[in-house]
């Protein structure tokens, strides 16, 4: 099974993988994916092997592709499933002599596929992946399995001086423009949360977000420095998943942390602005989570997320912990 290249997309394939594991309980499965994605699936009992697609790494790309083909061909697979929609990937699978290859019709690759479907852009990504599998199985299953990713053991946050609720913050970086929460708003949000003197904060993000995270830290008064951990760019994917699983609440934009939180059952608040996909096609299929969006009759959707004020976010955070306290008091 060739997984998507992005973290959030790969998480959304897991219900489709669940259908395959149910249908073929004695089969041996192999995943083909980028190296960071592989960490989501370590320890899956049904997965015999994970093959890393490093065809874009250093060196001659054609030679790298040939090596990948030889690796896949050696195992003599019966069925190949493409959750990634490029022409190159179907060419790799066919050249690997996989007996049957299924996937979506895209980039004129349908003639190479044993079974294919037309892409419906309005369909939720989870259904997009699971439907491909289910229709190949003669529409056998009626319900989606739950999201499922590997959560490693360990503590990658560290102890705070004060035992308080821990909130993760992942607000994006400048190049994301209308998808990320504005820098000045983000700094104000973090400072005001710390001034409440009730929460510990963990700043999260990838390498592209390190510069902005450093600015956050530089703006925090010395009085509150011990209440913050900046883990931006310092975690592997598996550690990133572990940290999110140990948060009391995550505040994030529409990006991979949102999907991780949904998969590990961590409550979250999502700040919505301009998106790479219609949000209805990627919104987590869980019965928790708060989604904040304010358009205020603006024409330019790149400005939408800036209309969500730090005060409004803090009100949602306070409301979440207040309701949580009430529920615990009633147990």
């Amino acid at each position: 099974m060739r997984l998507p290249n992005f973290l959030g997309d790969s998480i959304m394939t897991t219900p489709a993988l669940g259908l395959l594991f149910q249908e073929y309980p004695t089969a041996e499965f192999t995943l083909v994916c980028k190296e960071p994605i592989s960490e989501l699936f370590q320890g899956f009992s049904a997965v015999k092997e994970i093959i890393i697609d490093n065809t874009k790494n250093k060196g001659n790309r054609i030679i790298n592709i040939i090596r990948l083909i030889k690796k896949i061909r050696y195992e003599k697979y019966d069925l190949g499933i493409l959750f990634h929609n490029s022409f190159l990937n179907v060419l790799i699978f066919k050249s690997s002599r996989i007996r049957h290859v299924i996937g979506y019709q895209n980039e004129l690759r349908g003639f190479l596929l044993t079974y294919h479907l037309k892409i419906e852009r309005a369909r939720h990504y989870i259904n997009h992946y699971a439907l491909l599998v289910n229709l190949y199985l003669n529409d056998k299953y009626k319900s989606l399995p739950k999201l499922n990713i590997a959560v490693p053991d360990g503590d990658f946050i560290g102890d705070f001086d004060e035992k308080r609720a821990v909130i993760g913050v992942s607000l994006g970086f400048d190049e994301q423009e209308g998808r990320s929460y504005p820098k000045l708003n983000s700094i104000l949000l973090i400072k005001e949360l710390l001034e409440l003197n009730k929460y510990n904060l963990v700043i999260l993000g990838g390498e592209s977000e390190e510069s902005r995270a450093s600015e956050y830290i530089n703006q925090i008064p010395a009085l509150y420095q011990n209440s913050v951990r900046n883990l931006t760019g310092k975690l592997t994917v598996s550690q990133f998943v572990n940290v999110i699983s140990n948060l009391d609440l995550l505040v994030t934009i529409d990006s991979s942390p949102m999907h991780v939180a949904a998969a590990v059952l961590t409550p979250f608040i999502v700040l919505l602005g301009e998106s790479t996909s219609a949000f209805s096609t990627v919104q987590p299929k869980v019965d928790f989570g708060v989604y904040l969006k304010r358009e205020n009759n603006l024409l330019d959707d790149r400005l939408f997320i800036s209309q969500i004020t730090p005060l409004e976010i803090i009100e949602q955070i306070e409301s979440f912990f207040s309701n949580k306290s009430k529920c615990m008091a009633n147990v």
Side-chain angles (χ1 to χ4, degrees):
M1 298 172 285
R2 177 50 163 91
L3 298 178
N5 287 340
F6 296 107
L7 200 64
D9 293 354
S10 291
I11 291 171
M12 288 189 283
T13 67
T14 61
L17 301 187
L19 293 179
L20 289 165
F21 298 158
Q22 289 180 53
E23 182 67 18
Y24 304 112
T26 62
E28 293 181 335
F29 292 92
T30 293
L31 305 179
V32 181
C33 60
K34 299 296 184 183
E35 188 166 10
I37 302 299
S38 69
E39 297 181 41
L40 295 174
F41 302 95
Q42 299 292 340
F44 273 45
S45 59
V47 176
K48 172 192 174 186
E49 185 177 7
I50 299 177
I51 297 175
I52 303 302
D53 179 353
N54 57 9
T55 54
K56 288 188 177 180
N57 288 15
K58 292 181 180 180
N60 187 297
R61 191 178 184 194
I62 294 175
I63 292 175
N64 289 341
I65 291 171
I66 292 171
R67 287 173 178 162
L68 178 60
I69 290 170
K70 287 182 176 179
K71 174 68 174 173
I72 298 173
R73 182 186 294 178
Y74 178 79
E75 301 291 346
K76 299 179 181 179
Y77 293 100
D78 298 302
L79 176 63
I81 302 171
L82 295 169
F83 295 124
H84 191 271
N85 294 323
S86 75
F87 187 88
L88 177 60
N89 280 308
V90 72
L91 198 60
I92 289 171
F93 270 32
K94 292 297 289 186
S95 300
S96 302
R97 298 176 185 168
I98 298 176
R99 188 175 302 174
H100 301 289
V101 180
I102 71 173
Y104 275 96
Q105 167 70 294
N106 192 60
E107 296 188 3
L108 303 176
R109 65 184 192 165
F111 73 98
L112 290 172
L113 294 166
T114 308
Y115 175 84
H116 62 83
L117 283 179
K118 179 183 177 182
I119 292 177
E120 297 290 344
R121 300 292 180 185
R123 181 176 290 138
H124 196 287
Y125 277 42
I126 288 176
N127 296 79
H128 168 88
Y129 299 125
L131 191 67
L132 174 65
V133 169
N134 198 39
L135 292 182
Y136 177 75
L137 299 174
N138 297 314
D139 203 18
K140 179 177 180 178
Y141 297 96
K142 303 305 176 187
S143 300
L144 288 164
K146 293 182 179 180
L147 299 170
N148 182 24
I149 57 176
V151 182
D153 296 328
D155 177 11
F156 301 100
I157 296 176
D159 291 331
F160 287 98
D161 291 346
E162 298 284 343
K163 298 297 182 184
R164 299 167 174 163
V166 180
I167 300 174
V169 180
S170 180
L171 303 174
F173 54 98
D174 296 346
E175 286 73 18
Q176 289 175 305
E177 296 182 339
R179 190 179 175 194
S180 68
Y181 198 50
K183 184 191 302 180
L184 294 180
N185 289 28
S186 299
I187 291 170
L188 186 59
L189 170 64
I190 290 168
K191 290 174 71 174
E192 291 190 355
L193 274 174
L194 291 170
E195 286 171 3
L196 291 173
N197 212 31
K198 296 161 66 174
Y199 307 114
N200 292 316
L201 301 187
V202 178
I203 312 298
L204 295 169
E207 292 180 0
S208 54
E209 295 162 80
E210 287 183 294
S211 176
R212 190 196 269 205
S214 295
E215 292 188 56
Y216 297 160
I217 299 301
N218 291 337
Q219 294 289 329
I220 295 172
L223 176 65
Y224 303 116
Q225 289 286 341
N226 290 333
S227 298
V228 183
R229 298 282 184 273
N230 178 19
L231 301 182
T232 307
K234 299 175 182 177
L235 302 172
T236 65
V237 168
S238 58
Q239 291 169 346
F240 183 69
V241 170
N242 174 279
V243 167
I244 291 178
S245 74
N246 284 296
L247 297 173
D248 294 294
L249 178 68
L250 173 70
V251 179
T252 182
I253 61 171
D254 170 14
S255 60
S256 59
M258 173 184 72
H259 296 290
V260 172
V264 299
L265 306 182
T266 293
F268 56 83
I269 296 172
V270 181
L271 315 180
L272 295 173
E274 183 185 34
S275 182
T276 55
S277 303
F279 189 66
S280 60
T281 66
V282 298
Q283 182 174 346
K285 291 194 171 192
V286 292
D287 59 1
F288 58 93
V290 174
Y291 306 96
L292 299 181
K293 186 172 185 179
R294 297 291 176 265
E295 299 184 12
N296 292 341
N297 206 33
L298 289 173
L299 180 64
D300 189 347
D301 57 1
R302 292 172 298 180
L303 300 176
F304 289 170
I305 198 168
S306 66
Q307 304 303 295
I308 305 169
T309 67
L311 177 60
E312 184 177 3
I313 299 167
I314 291 172
E315 287 175 349
Q316 289 291 338
I317 292 170
E318 295 276 76
S319 175
F320 167 78
F321 285 108
S322 174
N323 291 334
K324 184 178 180 181
S325 296
K326 291 176 182 176
C327 289
M328 293 180 67
N330 293 330
V331 172

